Every structure is written in C-alpha cells, then in structure tokens.
Amino acid sequence: GVWLSTFHSFCARVLRREAPHLGLASAFTIYDEDDAKRVLKDALEKLHIEDKRLTPNALRSLISGFKSKGLAPGDLKIDTFHERIAQQIYEEYQAALARNQALDFDDLLLKAVQLFGQHAEVRERYRQRFRHVLVDEYQDTNGCQYQLVKLLGEGHRNVCVTGDPDQSIYSWRGADVRNILSFERDFPETKV
C-alpha cells in the first residue's frame, strides 16, 4: 500500500486518475524538454516576437521558474515591456499545451497543487489514502512541492521530512531552502 516515488511521478499518477477534474483526458501527453522548446518556438513565431534574448531555452527556464513558484500567467506581476512579452508567451505556451492535451514536467506539480487546492473531495480522498507522508531532502523542494506537502499533510499532520538547510544545492532549479526552515512554523507540533 505504500507509494514510493518522486514528486513528479506521484503527481503524474494522481493526475492520470483525476484528470477530468482539470479538464484533461486521462491519457494526456507529458512533454519533454525538446517538445516544450518546440512549442515555445511556435509561440514566438505566432506572436511575431524576434527578440534574440527570448530564445526557447531562455523562455523554458523562465516559465519553469514561474511554475516552480506556483505562478500561472495571470499571477505574474507585470512592470516592464519584457515582462508583458514573457507573460504573453507563457499564456500562448499554456494554451498550446491545453490544445494538445499535454503537460510539461513542471505542470505535473502545478496541476496537482491546483487539483488538491480546488477540489476538496479529491484532496480529502488522498489525505485519507496517505495518512503518513515522508519527504527526503526537503531542503531541495520548490514552491509547488511545498504546497503539495502542506495540502496532503494538513489534515492528519503526520508529516516527516528529512533534510539539512546547509546542503541545499538546487536553488538554480527552483528549490527554496525556506521550506525546511519554516517547517516547524507550518507544523508546530514537530519533533526534531
């Protein structure tokens, strides 16, 4: 009865089962990096954007950063012309994924957070299913992973994490060491 997995494989498994709640087919496609960059290249062409700084690689990294923080296109704070362009590209990118019934790797986390956040009955079913949650290397979790742990663990509060804030090495990939530093605030009954 134990599910032992990465965050991404856990989310993919849940989303395959619960896809209709998000308007997805259960047989949605998971795009790899090359697929995602191809969609971004098409978005640049569709929007007639020829800025050499906005390459598919740069945009993929930017959008991945937004998603790791749990930000959809409408959540972005827009202060500059380039931020507005990035938002438009992100919107077109997400629209293309939706048209193709596809998710990118970051969407697996983001959509699972949306699922549990928007559908209380689904969240409660998984809370009952997973009465104990263990996360290794918690210092290397990002914003979406942090939200997943909170959404699953808040009901029963049987959450165990391991990690060392001095060994956080994935900030370049969206990891936020504040997740482990604030764990005792989120779960005040924590024993260390």
Side-chain angles (χ1 to χ4, degrees):
V2 171
W3 284 18
L4 180 65
S5 64
T6 65
F7 276 101
H8 289 88
S9 64
F10 170 80
C11 291
R13 190 172 176 183
V14 168
L15 291 172
R16 292 270 184 225
R17 294 174 180 203
E18 308 296 339
H21 290 285
L22 297 172
L24 283 169
S26 294
F28 62 84
T29 302
I30 300 173
Y31 279 4
D32 65 15
E33 288 300 306
D34 290 336
D35 296 324
K37 289 174 189 173
R38 196 168 23 262
V39 172
L40 285 165
K41 185 175 183 270
D42 292 344
L44 286 166
E45 289 173 8
K46 181 177 181 179
L47 296 171
H48 306 291
I49 297 171
E50 296 180 14
D51 188 325
K52 298 296 180 201
R53 293 172 289 183
L54 297 175
T55 65
N57 282 340
L59 289 166
R60 180 71 192 110
S61 179
L62 183 66
I63 290 171
S64 181
F66 294 150
K67 289 182 179 185
S68 75
K69 293 175 185 159
L71 299 173
D75 299 329
L76 302 180
K77 182 180 173 218
I78 306 301
D79 291 324
T80 68
F81 174 75
H82 281 95
E83 289 170 343
R84 178 71 189 130
I85 296 296
Q87 182 185 41
Q88 288 176 330
I89 294 166
Y90 188 9
E91 287 171 347
E92 178 55 35
Y93 175 73
Q94 288 304 109
L97 292 177
R99 282 191 302 273
N100 295 323
Q101 285 287 304
L103 301 177
D104 66 20
F105 206 54
D106 298 308
D107 280 329
L108 296 174
L109 302 176
L110 187 60
K111 294 294 184 183
V113 168
Q114 289 173 355
L115 174 71
F116 291 146
Q118 296 169 3
H119 299 279
E121 73 287 355
V122 175
R123 179 180 62 241
E124 190 55 35
R125 194 167 2 104
Y126 282 90
R127 280 182 179 170
Q128 293 303 315
R129 170 67 178 86
F130 300 107
R131 308 248 342 126
H132 296 87
V133 176
L134 168 63
V135 181
D136 192 19
E137 303 294 347
Y138 194 70
Q139 78 277 359
D140 288 323
T141 55
N142 66 31
C144 276
Q145 293 164 331
Y146 168 81
Q147 287 299 321
L148 279 168
V149 171
K150 281 190 70 175
L151 286 165
L152 282 173
E154 281 179 331
H156 50 66
R157 317 225 18 110
N158 293 321
V159 178
C160 177
V161 301
T162 66
D164 180 350
D166 293 329
Q167 301 218 5
S168 181
I169 59 173
Y170 290 108
S171 61
W172 59 273
R173 202 168 64 186
D176 189 343
V177 73
R178 292 177 297 185
N179 295 346
I180 196 167
L181 296 175
S182 64
F183 187 80
E184 291 176 83
R185 183 196 70 223
D186 295 332
F187 295 92
E189 65 279 10
T190 296
K191 293 183 176 83
V192 179

